[in-house]
mmCIF file with all atom_site columns, all heavy atoms in Angstrom:
data_model
loop_
_atom_site.group_PDB
_atom_site.id
_atom_site.type_symbol
_atom_site.label_atom_id
_atom_site.label_alt_id
_atom_site.label_comp_id
_atom_site.label_asym_id
_atom_site.label_entity_id
_atom_site.label_seq_id
_atom_site.pdbx_PDB_ins_code
_atom_site.Cartn_x
_atom_site.Cartn_y
_atom_site.Cartn_z
_atom_site.occupancy
_atom_site.B_iso_or_equiv
_atom_site.pdbx_formal_charge
_atom_site.auth_seq_id
_atom_site.auth_comp_id
_atom_site.auth_asym_id
_atom_site.auth_atom_id
_atom_site.pdbx_PDB_model_num
ATOM   1   N N   . PHE A 1 38  ? 128.043 71.137 124.017 1.00 0.00 ? 44  PHE A N   1
ATOM   2   C CA  . PHE A 1 38  ? 127.028 72.056 123.493 1.00 0.00 ? 44  PHE A CA  1
ATOM   3   C C   . PHE A 1 38  ? 127.298 73.486 123.958 1.00 0.00 ? 44  PHE A C   1
ATOM   4   O O   . PHE A 1 38  ? 127.291 74.428 123.161 1.00 0.00 ? 44  PHE A O   1
ATOM   5   C CB  . PHE A 1 38  ? 125.606 71.627 123.900 1.00 0.00 ? 44  PHE A CB  1
ATOM   6   C CG  . PHE A 1 38  ? 124.574 72.546 123.319 1.00 0.00 ? 44  PHE A CG  1
ATOM   7   C CD1 . PHE A 1 38  ? 124.300 72.511 121.965 1.00 0.00 ? 44  PHE A CD1 1
ATOM   8   C CD2 . PHE A 1 38  ? 123.939 73.490 124.107 1.00 0.00 ? 44  PHE A CD2 1
ATOM   9   C CE1 . PHE A 1 38  ? 123.385 73.406 121.394 1.00 0.00 ? 44  PHE A CE1 1
ATOM   10  C CE2 . PHE A 1 38  ? 123.022 74.378 123.552 1.00 0.00 ? 44  PHE A CE2 1
ATOM   11  C CZ  . PHE A 1 38  ? 122.746 74.322 122.190 1.00 0.00 ? 44  PHE A CZ  1
ATOM   12  N N   . ASN A 1 188 ? 116.882 71.875 126.409 1.00 0.00 ? 194 ASN A N   1
ATOM   13  C CA  . ASN A 1 188 ? 115.730 71.670 125.527 1.00 0.00 ? 194 ASN A CA  1
ATOM   14  C C   . ASN A 1 188 ? 114.467 71.290 126.289 1.00 0.00 ? 194 ASN A C   1
ATOM   15  O O   . ASN A 1 188 ? 113.948 70.178 126.160 1.00 0.00 ? 194 ASN A O   1
ATOM   16  C CB  . ASN A 1 188 ? 116.046 70.550 124.531 1.00 0.00 ? 194 ASN A CB  1
ATOM   17  C CG  . ASN A 1 188 ? 117.026 70.993 123.477 1.00 0.00 ? 194 ASN A CG  1
ATOM   18  O OD1 . ASN A 1 188 ? 116.943 72.111 122.960 1.00 0.00 ? 194 ASN A OD1 1
ATOM   19  N ND2 . ASN A 1 188 ? 117.968 70.121 123.160 1.00 0.00 ? 194 ASN A ND2 1
ATOM   20  N N   . VAL A 1 226 ? 117.591 77.370 122.325 1.00 0.00 ? 232 VAL A N   1
ATOM   21  C CA  . VAL A 1 226 ? 118.979 77.234 121.872 1.00 0.00 ? 232 VAL A CA  1
ATOM   22  C C   . VAL A 1 226 ? 119.023 76.214 120.751 1.00 0.00 ? 232 VAL A C   1
ATOM   23  O O   . VAL A 1 226 ? 118.293 75.234 120.784 1.00 0.00 ? 232 VAL A O   1
ATOM   24  C CB  . VAL A 1 226 ? 119.902 76.742 123.016 1.00 0.00 ? 232 VAL A CB  1
ATOM   25  C CG1 . VAL A 1 226 ? 120.096 77.805 124.066 1.00 0.00 ? 232 VAL A CG1 1
ATOM   26  C CG2 . VAL A 1 226 ? 119.377 75.461 123.659 1.00 0.00 ? 232 VAL A CG2 1
ATOM   27  N N   . ASP A 1 227 ? 119.844 76.455 119.766 1.00 0.00 ? 233 ASP A N   1
ATOM   28  C CA  . ASP A 1 227 ? 119.916 75.489 118.670 1.00 0.00 ? 233 ASP A CA  1
ATOM   29  C C   . ASP A 1 227 ? 121.283 75.490 117.999 1.00 0.00 ? 233 ASP A C   1
ATOM   30  O O   . ASP A 1 227 ? 121.746 76.516 117.493 1.00 0.00 ? 233 ASP A O   1
ATOM   31  C CB  . ASP A 1 227 ? 118.830 75.811 117.626 1.00 0.00 ? 233 ASP A CB  1
ATOM   32  C CG  . ASP A 1 227 ? 118.691 74.701 116.593 1.00 0.00 ? 233 ASP A CG  1
ATOM   33  O OD1 . ASP A 1 227 ? 119.333 73.645 116.761 1.00 0.00 ? 233 ASP A OD1 1
ATOM   34  O OD2 . ASP A 1 227 ? 117.932 74.895 115.619 1.00 0.00 ? 233 ASP A OD2 1
ATOM   35  N N   . ARG A 1 228 ? 121.913 74.362 118.018 1.00 0.00 ? 234 ARG A N   1
ATOM   36  C CA  . ARG A 1 228 ? 123.103 74.082 117.218 1.00 0.00 ? 234 ARG A CA  1
ATOM   37  C C   . ARG A 1 228 ? 123.383 72.581 117.347 1.00 0.00 ? 234 ARG A C   1
ATOM   38  O O   . ARG A 1 228 ? 123.370 72.059 118.461 1.00 0.00 ? 234 ARG A O   1
ATOM   39  C CB  . ARG A 1 228 ? 124.310 74.889 117.698 1.00 0.00 ? 234 ARG A CB  1
ATOM   40  C CG  . ARG A 1 228 ? 125.399 74.960 116.650 1.00 0.00 ? 234 ARG A CG  1
ATOM   41  C CD  . ARG A 1 228 ? 126.435 76.004 116.953 1.00 0.00 ? 234 ARG A CD  1
ATOM   42  N NE  . ARG A 1 228 ? 127.036 76.465 115.716 1.00 0.00 ? 234 ARG A NE  1
ATOM   43  C CZ  . ARG A 1 228 ? 128.107 77.239 115.635 1.00 0.00 ? 234 ARG A CZ  1
ATOM   44  N NH1 . ARG A 1 228 ? 128.691 77.665 116.738 1.00 0.00 ? 234 ARG A NH1 1
ATOM   45  N NH2 . ARG A 1 228 ? 128.597 77.608 114.471 1.00 0.00 ? 234 ARG A NH2 1
ATOM   46  N N   . ILE A 1 229 ? 123.629 71.946 116.248 1.00 0.00 ? 235 ILE A N   1
ATOM   47  C CA  . ILE A 1 229 ? 123.885 70.504 116.303 1.00 0.00 ? 235 ILE A CA  1
ATOM   48  C C   . ILE A 1 229 ? 125.359 70.273 116.637 1.00 0.00 ? 235 ILE A C   1
ATOM   49  O O   . ILE A 1 229 ? 126.242 70.810 115.964 1.00 0.00 ? 235 ILE A O   1
ATOM   50  C CB  . ILE A 1 229 ? 123.475 69.840 114.976 1.00 0.00 ? 235 ILE A CB  1
ATOM   51  C CG1 . ILE A 1 229 ? 121.932 69.905 114.852 1.00 0.00 ? 235 ILE A CG1 1
ATOM   52  C CG2 . ILE A 1 229 ? 123.961 68.395 114.909 1.00 0.00 ? 235 ILE A CG2 1
ATOM   53  C CD1 . ILE A 1 229 ? 121.370 69.398 113.556 1.00 0.00 ? 235 ILE A CD1 1
ATOM   54  N N   . VAL A 1 230 ? 125.583 69.508 117.712 1.00 0.00 ? 236 VAL A N   1
ATOM   55  C CA  . VAL A 1 230 ? 126.954 69.300 118.212 1.00 0.00 ? 236 VAL A CA  1
ATOM   56  C C   . VAL A 1 230 ? 127.173 67.814 118.521 1.00 0.00 ? 236 VAL A C   1
ATOM   57  O O   . VAL A 1 230 ? 126.913 67.364 119.635 1.00 0.00 ? 236 VAL A O   1
ATOM   58  C CB  . VAL A 1 230 ? 127.213 70.133 119.498 1.00 0.00 ? 236 VAL A CB  1
ATOM   59  C CG1 . VAL A 1 230 ? 128.683 70.058 119.899 1.00 0.00 ? 236 VAL A CG1 1
ATOM   60  C CG2 . VAL A 1 230 ? 126.774 71.574 119.321 1.00 0.00 ? 236 VAL A CG2 1
ATOM   61  N N   . LYS A 1 292 ? 111.125 74.714 117.682 1.00 0.00 ? 298 LYS A N   1
ATOM   62  C CA  . LYS A 1 292 ? 112.397 73.982 117.656 1.00 0.00 ? 298 LYS A CA  1
ATOM   63  C C   . LYS A 1 292 ? 112.258 72.603 118.296 1.00 0.00 ? 298 LYS A C   1
ATOM   64  O O   . LYS A 1 292 ? 112.719 71.601 117.761 1.00 0.00 ? 298 LYS A O   1
ATOM   65  C CB  . LYS A 1 292 ? 113.456 74.840 118.345 1.00 0.00 ? 298 LYS A CB  1
ATOM   66  C CG  . LYS A 1 292 ? 114.863 74.358 118.154 1.00 0.00 ? 298 LYS A CG  1
ATOM   67  C CD  . LYS A 1 292 ? 115.367 73.617 119.338 1.00 0.00 ? 298 LYS A CD  1
ATOM   68  C CE  . LYS A 1 292 ? 116.667 72.911 119.085 1.00 0.00 ? 298 LYS A CE  1
ATOM   69  N NZ  . LYS A 1 292 ? 117.250 72.349 120.279 1.00 0.00 ? 298 LYS A NZ  1
ATOM   70  N N   . LEU A 1 296 ? 112.459 70.235 115.170 1.00 0.00 ? 302 LEU A N   1
ATOM   71  C CA  . LEU A 1 296 ? 113.814 69.675 115.166 1.00 0.00 ? 302 LEU A CA  1
ATOM   72  C C   . LEU A 1 296 ? 113.943 68.476 116.107 1.00 0.00 ? 302 LEU A C   1
ATOM   73  O O   . LEU A 1 296 ? 114.257 67.375 115.704 1.00 0.00 ? 302 LEU A O   1
ATOM   74  C CB  . LEU A 1 296 ? 114.851 70.742 115.527 1.00 0.00 ? 302 LEU A CB  1
ATOM   75  C CG  . LEU A 1 296 ? 116.324 70.332 115.307 1.00 0.00 ? 302 LEU A CG  1
ATOM   76  C CD1 . LEU A 1 296 ? 117.223 71.547 115.173 1.00 0.00 ? 302 LEU A CD1 1
ATOM   77  C CD2 . LEU A 1 296 ? 116.908 69.408 116.339 1.00 0.00 ? 302 LEU A CD2 1
ATOM   78  N N   . ASN A 1 297 ? 113.671 68.702 117.410 1.00 0.00 ? 303 ASN A N   1
ATOM   79  C CA  . ASN A 1 297 ? 113.996 67.642 118.360 1.00 0.00 ? 303 ASN A CA  1
ATOM   80  C C   . ASN A 1 297 ? 113.082 66.419 118.245 1.00 0.00 ? 303 ASN A C   1
ATOM   81  O O   . ASN A 1 297 ? 113.550 65.285 118.390 1.00 0.00 ? 303 ASN A O   1
ATOM   82  C CB  . ASN A 1 297 ? 114.018 68.180 119.794 1.00 0.00 ? 303 ASN A CB  1
ATOM   83  C CG  . ASN A 1 297 ? 115.115 69.204 120.021 1.00 0.00 ? 303 ASN A CG  1
ATOM   84  O OD1 . ASN A 1 297 ? 114.846 70.372 120.252 1.00 0.00 ? 303 ASN A OD1 1
ATOM   85  N ND2 . ASN A 1 297 ? 116.358 68.779 119.937 1.00 0.00 ? 303 ASN A ND2 1
ATOM   86  N N   . HIS A 1 300 ? 114.307 64.613 115.302 1.00 0.00 ? 306 HIS A N   1
ATOM   87  C CA  . HIS A 1 300 ? 115.626 64.069 115.633 1.00 0.00 ? 306 HIS A CA  1
ATOM   88  C C   . HIS A 1 300 ? 115.485 62.757 116.407 1.00 0.00 ? 306 HIS A C   1
ATOM   89  O O   . HIS A 1 300 ? 116.148 61.772 116.097 1.00 0.00 ? 306 HIS A O   1
ATOM   90  C CB  . HIS A 1 300 ? 116.359 65.079 116.527 1.00 0.00 ? 306 HIS A CB  1
ATOM   91  C CG  . HIS A 1 300 ? 117.692 65.481 115.990 1.00 0.00 ? 306 HIS A CG  1
ATOM   92  N ND1 . HIS A 1 300 ? 118.534 66.278 116.707 1.00 0.00 ? 306 HIS A ND1 1
ATOM   93  C CD2 . HIS A 1 300 ? 118.332 65.200 114.831 1.00 0.00 ? 306 HIS A CD2 1
ATOM   94  C CE1 . HIS A 1 300 ? 119.631 66.476 115.996 1.00 0.00 ? 306 HIS A CE1 1
ATOM   95  N NE2 . HIS A 1 300 ? 119.530 65.842 114.871 1.00 0.00 ? 306 HIS A NE2 1
ATOM   96  N N   . HIS A 1 366 ? 126.527 62.733 112.894 1.00 0.00 ? 372 HIS A N   1
ATOM   97  C CA  . HIS A 1 366 ? 125.843 62.842 114.185 1.00 0.00 ? 372 HIS A CA  1
ATOM   98  C C   . HIS A 1 366 ? 125.223 61.486 114.466 1.00 0.00 ? 372 HIS A C   1
ATOM   99  O O   . HIS A 1 366 ? 124.300 61.054 113.769 1.00 0.00 ? 372 HIS A O   1
ATOM   100 C CB  . HIS A 1 366 ? 124.765 63.935 114.086 1.00 0.00 ? 372 HIS A CB  1
ATOM   101 C CG  . HIS A 1 366 ? 124.252 64.394 115.408 1.00 0.00 ? 372 HIS A CG  1
ATOM   102 N ND1 . HIS A 1 366 ? 123.206 65.270 115.539 1.00 0.00 ? 372 HIS A ND1 1
ATOM   103 C CD2 . HIS A 1 366 ? 124.647 64.118 116.661 1.00 0.00 ? 372 HIS A CD2 1
ATOM   104 C CE1 . HIS A 1 366 ? 122.983 65.493 116.824 1.00 0.00 ? 372 HIS A CE1 1
ATOM   105 N NE2 . HIS A 1 366 ? 123.848 64.807 117.519 1.00 0.00 ? 372 HIS A NE2 1
ATOM   106 N N   . GLN A 1 370 ? 123.665 58.656 119.880 1.00 0.00 ? 376 GLN A N   1
ATOM   107 C CA  . GLN A 1 370 ? 123.871 59.807 120.785 1.00 0.00 ? 376 GLN A CA  1
ATOM   108 C C   . GLN A 1 370 ? 122.525 60.475 121.079 1.00 0.00 ? 376 GLN A C   1
ATOM   109 O O   . GLN A 1 370 ? 122.192 60.794 122.216 1.00 0.00 ? 376 GLN A O   1
ATOM   110 C CB  . GLN A 1 370 ? 124.848 60.827 120.169 1.00 0.00 ? 376 GLN A CB  1
ATOM   111 C CG  . GLN A 1 370 ? 125.136 61.995 121.116 1.00 0.00 ? 376 GLN A CG  1
ATOM   112 C CD  . GLN A 1 370 ? 125.997 63.110 120.493 1.00 0.00 ? 376 GLN A CD  1
ATOM   113 O OE1 . GLN A 1 370 ? 126.705 62.901 119.497 1.00 0.00 ? 376 GLN A OE1 1
ATOM   114 N NE2 . GLN A 1 370 ? 125.931 64.295 121.066 1.00 0.00 ? 376 GLN A NE2 1
ATOM   115 N N   . ILE A 1 371 ? 121.739 60.662 120.032 1.00 0.00 ? 377 ILE A N   1
ATOM   116 C CA  . ILE A 1 371 ? 120.440 61.331 120.208 1.00 0.00 ? 377 ILE A CA  1
ATOM   117 C C   . ILE A 1 371 ? 119.461 60.414 120.943 1.00 0.00 ? 377 ILE A C   1
ATOM   118 O O   . ILE A 1 371 ? 118.587 60.875 121.676 1.00 0.00 ? 377 ILE A O   1
ATOM   119 C CB  . ILE A 1 371 ? 119.878 61.747 118.827 1.00 0.00 ? 377 ILE A CB  1
ATOM   120 C CG1 . ILE A 1 371 ? 120.881 62.651 118.123 1.00 0.00 ? 377 ILE A CG1 1
ATOM   121 C CG2 . ILE A 1 371 ? 118.537 62.449 118.964 1.00 0.00 ? 377 ILE A CG2 1
ATOM   122 C CD1 . ILE A 1 371 ? 120.592 62.856 116.655 1.00 0.00 ? 377 ILE A CD1 1
ATOM   123 N N   . LYS A 1 378 ? 113.491 63.023 127.223 1.00 0.00 ? 384 LYS A N   1
ATOM   124 C CA  . LYS A 1 378 ? 113.329 63.856 126.029 1.00 0.00 ? 384 LYS A CA  1
ATOM   125 C C   . LYS A 1 378 ? 111.925 63.752 125.426 1.00 0.00 ? 384 LYS A C   1
ATOM   126 O O   . LYS A 1 378 ? 111.356 64.744 124.982 1.00 0.00 ? 384 LYS A O   1
ATOM   127 C CB  . LYS A 1 378 ? 114.355 63.447 124.965 1.00 0.00 ? 384 LYS A CB  1
ATOM   128 C CG  . LYS A 1 378 ? 115.792 63.800 125.342 1.00 0.00 ? 384 LYS A CG  1
ATOM   129 C CD  . LYS A 1 378 ? 116.779 63.241 124.315 1.00 0.00 ? 384 LYS A CD  1
ATOM   130 C CE  . LYS A 1 378 ? 118.213 63.651 124.637 1.00 0.00 ? 384 LYS A CE  1
ATOM   131 N NZ  . LYS A 1 378 ? 119.186 63.033 123.730 1.00 0.00 ? 384 LYS A NZ  1
ATOM   132 N N   . ARG A 1 382 ? 109.571 66.692 123.726 1.00 0.00 ? 388 ARG A N   1
ATOM   133 C CA  . ARG A 1 382 ? 109.598 66.920 122.288 1.00 0.00 ? 388 ARG A CA  1
ATOM   134 C C   . ARG A 1 382 ? 108.414 66.317 121.552 1.00 0.00 ? 388 ARG A C   1
ATOM   135 O O   . ARG A 1 382 ? 107.986 66.860 120.542 1.00 0.00 ? 388 ARG A O   1
ATOM   136 C CB  . ARG A 1 382 ? 110.850 66.323 121.632 1.00 0.00 ? 388 ARG A CB  1
ATOM   137 C CG  . ARG A 1 382 ? 111.920 65.927 122.559 1.00 0.00 ? 388 ARG A CG  1
ATOM   138 C CD  . ARG A 1 382 ? 113.091 65.358 121.850 1.00 0.00 ? 388 ARG A CD  1
ATOM   139 N NE  . ARG A 1 382 ? 114.278 66.022 122.374 1.00 0.00 ? 388 ARG A NE  1
ATOM   140 C CZ  . ARG A 1 382 ? 115.488 65.822 121.977 1.00 0.00 ? 388 ARG A CZ  1
ATOM   141 N NH1 . ARG A 1 382 ? 115.707 64.981 121.000 1.00 0.00 ? 388 ARG A NH1 1
ATOM   142 N NH2 . ARG A 1 382 ? 116.488 66.464 122.496 1.00 0.00 ? 388 ARG A NH2 1
HETATM 143 C C1  . CS2 B 2 .   ? 119.469 66.271 119.889 1.00 0.00 ? 515 CS2 B C1  1
HETATM 144 C C2  . CS2 B 2 .   ? 119.829 67.690 120.321 1.00 0.00 ? 515 CS2 B C2  1
HETATM 145 O O1  . CS2 B 2 .   ? 120.798 64.850 121.204 1.00 0.00 ? 515 CS2 B O1  1
HETATM 146 C C3  . CS2 B 2 .   ? 119.658 65.278 121.011 1.00 0.00 ? 515 CS2 B C3  1
HETATM 147 O O2  . CS2 B 2 .   ? 118.715 64.923 121.666 1.00 0.00 ? 515 CS2 B O2  1
HETATM 148 O O3  . CS2 B 2 .   ? 118.163 66.265 119.430 1.00 0.00 ? 515 CS2 B O3  1
HETATM 149 O O4  . CS2 B 2 .   ? 120.969 67.739 121.071 1.00 0.00 ? 515 CS2 B O4  1
HETATM 150 C C4  . CS2 B 2 .   ? 119.954 68.616 119.102 1.00 0.00 ? 515 CS2 B C4  1
HETATM 151 O O5  . CS2 B 2 .   ? 121.070 68.280 118.322 1.00 0.00 ? 515 CS2 B O5  1
HETATM 152 C C5  . CS2 B 2 .   ? 120.041 70.041 119.540 1.00 0.00 ? 515 CS2 B C5  1
HETATM 153 O O6  . CS2 B 2 .   ? 118.925 70.354 120.334 1.00 0.00 ? 515 CS2 B O6  1
HETATM 154 C C6  . CS2 B 2 .   ? 120.135 70.966 118.340 1.00 0.00 ? 515 CS2 B C6  1
HETATM 155 O O7  . CS2 B 2 .   ? 120.025 72.256 118.774 1.00 0.00 ? 515 CS2 B O7  1
#
Side-chain angles (χ1 to χ4, degrees):
F44 182 72
N194 287 319
V232 290
D233 190 7
R234 198 166 207 190
I235 292 175
V236 188
K298 192 259 169 172
L302 191 158
N303 295 113
H306 235 186
H372 195 186
Q376 183 186 340
I377 303 167
K384 291 174 177 175
R388 346 180 131 182

